[in-house]
Amino acid sequence: MSGEFEERAGGLRERKKQRTRWALIDTALDLFLAKGYEATTIDEIVAAVDVSQRTFFRYFAGKEDVALSFLAEYDQILITVLAERPPAEPPIVALRAALHVSLGAVQDSDEEHTARFRKLRRLIDGTPPLAAGQLRRFFETEQKLATIMARRMGAGLADMRPYLLVASFLTVVRVAFDGCARDEVIDPAAVVLRVEELVALAIETLPGAWSAG
Amino acid sequence: MSGEFEERAGGLRERKKQRTRWALIDTALDLFLAKGYEATTIDEIVAAVDVSQRTFFRYFAGKEDVALSFLAEYDQILITVLAERPPAEPPIVALRAALHVSLGAVQDSDEEHTARFRKLRRLIDGTPPLAAGQLRRFFETEQKLATIMARRMGAGLADMRPYLLVASFLTVVRVAFDGCARDEVIDPAAVVLRVEELVALAIETLPGAWSAG
DNA sequence: GAAGTTATGACAGTCGCTGACAAATGACAA
DNA sequence: TTGTCATTTGTCAGCGACTGTCATAACTTC
């Protein structure tokens, strides 16, 4: 399911919008890969899709956004699932479960969507603005997850422990993605595997590494 | 010592350069605080300092950089000190020691520099581009520290544990800064205290939080 | 004080991005 | 089908960040 959005055909208008949206995304990704991110202009993208530049900026917040926006879906899954986890569950277990569902959605993507993941992954390495953008997305998700976690843990506003836990958890996930980039692991299934492996490694080694202080 | 750079007067030329540099930084910070970051144009900054726009971009990589660049000094301290710590020391102890030195440099700043910290701190909250920029700086420092840590720990390239430790450590520091921002703690001394407190809290609680998985 | 190096200014241009208004297009009811 | 309405799109004009180029000015060195 490359997106539960264009499936629910809300009408011709909505369908058309989704079509341009994905056309812009795919064209942008291809151009970015072919000529480089910075060397590609918005004008080239919109010319290829045959829409006006103004329309581009009605769909996306900026050049960076056209490449990264479709990842937001998975952040949302993470947030939603964590919020619905049983409150009695240990925090780290709940986080891991939410991550598992989110990564599962990545793995269940159709061919088209998998191709986008691959392209984006190859693209982000060696494109600092995109790497920075992804970093920002992680941070935004962290804020939302931390709020949910604080409620789960019944923590007061001054209690930093939920923030600490969520932030360090997402950091592990991010490090896993970075590692995949470094080792040129681009297949979504392989990436997913590696993320969960690193979370397991973190659970195994982090307590010891931190408690030596 | 607001910077070990302008102290070592390398000649008239060098002194003049440092003077314009700080003039640009201070003017920018003041304007950003007065009118807002986005509402302030580079033209306004350079007009106030009476240099050309072109000169501005010879000193700084961009609008964001003029506000954040002077923090780089402290990242550098962190890196240098970690590299010089005795290899036998437990990793977390070495990180903590390096952090202590870096934060010590912040506390030992002169009045002028302390004022800059305050301004920047007030500025970053509610200015997403600057917050994102700081996030990026953290990430860059993380990469460098991780490399040093990998060498310290005698870890191979595939071993992610040094990355994991450094990244989670810097995340704790970052969360501490965020907490200061949220609670409007702007005094450098208070910020420093809070960061070290949160690191202590993390050492106390993170192992337990992570090992429950 | 002359020669050489380096910083600065002026100018022109590209590109990302936005506001405003008019034209086109799909939605819906008569 | 047709007319009305809401929404989307294109056009245009403009701002501001940022860069390359080249001449000029400033410091440095001998």
Side-chain angles (χ1 to χ4, degrees):
Chain A
M1 48 169 99
S2 75
E4 311 138 76
F5 302 116
E6 73 262 41
E7 242 51 66
R8 52 169 78 129
L12 174 56
R13 185 169 259 165
E14 196 61 26
R15 261 181 289 139
K16 249 188 152 173
K17 271 173 62 176
Q18 292 308 326
R19 229 183 304 144
T20 16
R21 178 180 141 86
W22 288 113
L24 284 169
I25 290 174
D26 288 329
T27 307
L29 287 177
D30 288 338
L31 282 174
F32 290 164
L33 271 176
K35 329 186 12 177
Y37 175 77
E38 325 232 19
T40 306
T41 65
I42 309 275
D43 283 334
E44 290 173 316
I45 300 170
V46 299
V49 182
D50 201 52
V51 295
S52 73
Q53 200 201 46
R54 199 63 188 83
T55 295
F56 178 93
F57 286 108
R58 288 202 183 91
Y59 279 85
F60 303 102
K63 190 179 180 180
E64 178 196 304
D65 192 41
V66 70
L68 299 175
S69 66
F70 78 93
L71 295 178
E73 187 181 342
Y74 304 94
D75 297 345
Q76 194 50 53
I77 293 177
L78 205 58
I79 292 164
T80 308
V81 174
L82 181 68
E84 290 169 347
R85 278 266 131 188
E89 208 170 34
I92 186 77
V93 175
L95 280 172
R96 237 182 144 174
L99 177 67
H100 190 73
V101 175
S102 181
L103 292 178
V106 173
Q107 273 184 321
D108 291 347
S109 300
D110 59 24
E111 203 178 318
E112 223 180 354
H113 215 65
T114 303
R116 289 185 192 114
F117 277 114
R118 265 195 254 265
K119 287 176 188 171
L120 185 54
R121 180 130 290 284
R122 269 190 292 158
L123 202 52
I124 286 180
D125 319 347
T127 311
L130 288 183
Q134 217 194 2
L135 211 57
R136 242 189 34 223
R137 286 185 40 261
F138 265 92
F139 177 71
E140 286 161 16
T141 305
E142 176 186 307
Q143 300 292 100
K144 293 173 191 164
L145 289 179
T147 305
I148 296 172
M149 184 58 79
R151 196 166 46 230
R152 271 184 64 95
M153 293 172 70
L157 275 171
D159 191 352
M160 296 304 278
R161 290 174 312 165
Y163 283 84
L164 235 35
L165 180 58
V166 167
S168 60
F169 185 82
L170 275 189
T171 297
V172 172
V173 175
R174 180 175 56 77
V175 169
F177 279 113
D178 289 348
C180 287
R182 205 195 46 187
D183 301 344
E184 289 175 23
V185 177
I186 53 169
D187 187 65
V191 171
V192 165
L193 186 66
R194 205 149 150 165
V195 170
E196 299 211 300
E197 276 177 4
L198 197 65
V199 170
L201 178 69
I203 287 174
E204 207 177 301
T205 65
L206 266 192
W210 272 87
S211 58
Chain B
M1 50 171 95
S2 77
E4 311 138 77
F5 302 116
E6 73 261 40
E7 241 52 64
R8 52 169 80 127
L12 174 58
R13 180 169 263 164
E14 196 60 26
R15 259 180 290 139
K16 249 188 152 175
K17 271 173 62 175
Q18 292 308 327
R19 227 183 306 144
T20 28
R21 180 180 140 85
W22 288 114
L24 284 169
I25 291 175
D26 288 329
T27 306
L29 287 178
D30 287 339
L31 282 174
F32 289 164
L33 271 177
K35 329 186 10 176
Y37 175 77
E38 325 231 20
T40 305
T41 65
I42 309 274
D43 282 334
E44 290 172 317
I45 300 170
V46 299
V49 182
D50 201 52
V51 295
S52 73
Q53 201 201 47
R54 199 66 187 83
T55 295
F56 177 93
F57 286 108
R58 287 201 182 92
Y59 278 85
F60 302 103
K63 190 179 179 178
E64 177 197 304
D65 192 40
V66 70
L68 298 175
S69 66
F70 77 95
L71 295 177
E73 186 181 343
Y74 304 93
D75 297 345
Q76 194 50 53
I77 292 177
L78 204 58
I79 293 165
T80 308
V81 174
L82 181 69
E84 290 169 346
R85 278 266 132 186
E89 208 171 34
I92 186 78
V93 175
L95 280 172
R96 235 181 145 175
L99 177 67
H100 190 72
V101 175
S102 182
L103 293 179
V106 173
Q107 272 183 321
D108 291 347
S109 301
D110 58 24
E111 203 178 317
E112 221 180 356
H113 215 64
T114 303
R116 290 185 191 113
F117 277 114
R118 265 195 253 266
K119 288 177 188 171
L120 185 54
R121 180 128 291 283
R122 268 188 294 157
L123 203 52
I124 287 181
D125 319 346
T127 310
L130 289 183
Q134 217 194 3
L135 211 58
R136 243 190 33 225
R137 287 185 40 263
F138 265 93
F139 177 72
E140 285 161 16
T141 305
E142 175 185 307
Q143 300 293 99
K144 293 173 190 163
L145 289 179
T147 305
I148 295 170
M149 183 58 79
R151 197 166 45 231
R152 270 184 66 95
M153 293 172 69
L157 274 172
D159 190 352
M160 296 304 280
R161 288 174 312 165
Y163 283 85
L164 235 36
L165 180 59
V166 167
S168 60
F169 184 82
L170 275 190
T171 296
V172 172
V173 176
R174 180 175 56 77
V175 169
F177 278 113
D178 289 348
C180 288
R182 205 195 47 188
D183 301 344
E184 290 175 23
V185 177
I186 54 171
D187 186 65
V191 171
V192 165
L193 185 67
R194 204 148 151 166
V195 170
E196 299 211 299
E197 275 177 3
L198 197 66
V199 169
L201 178 70
I203 287 175
E204 207 178 301
T205 66
L206 266 192
W210 272 87
S211 59

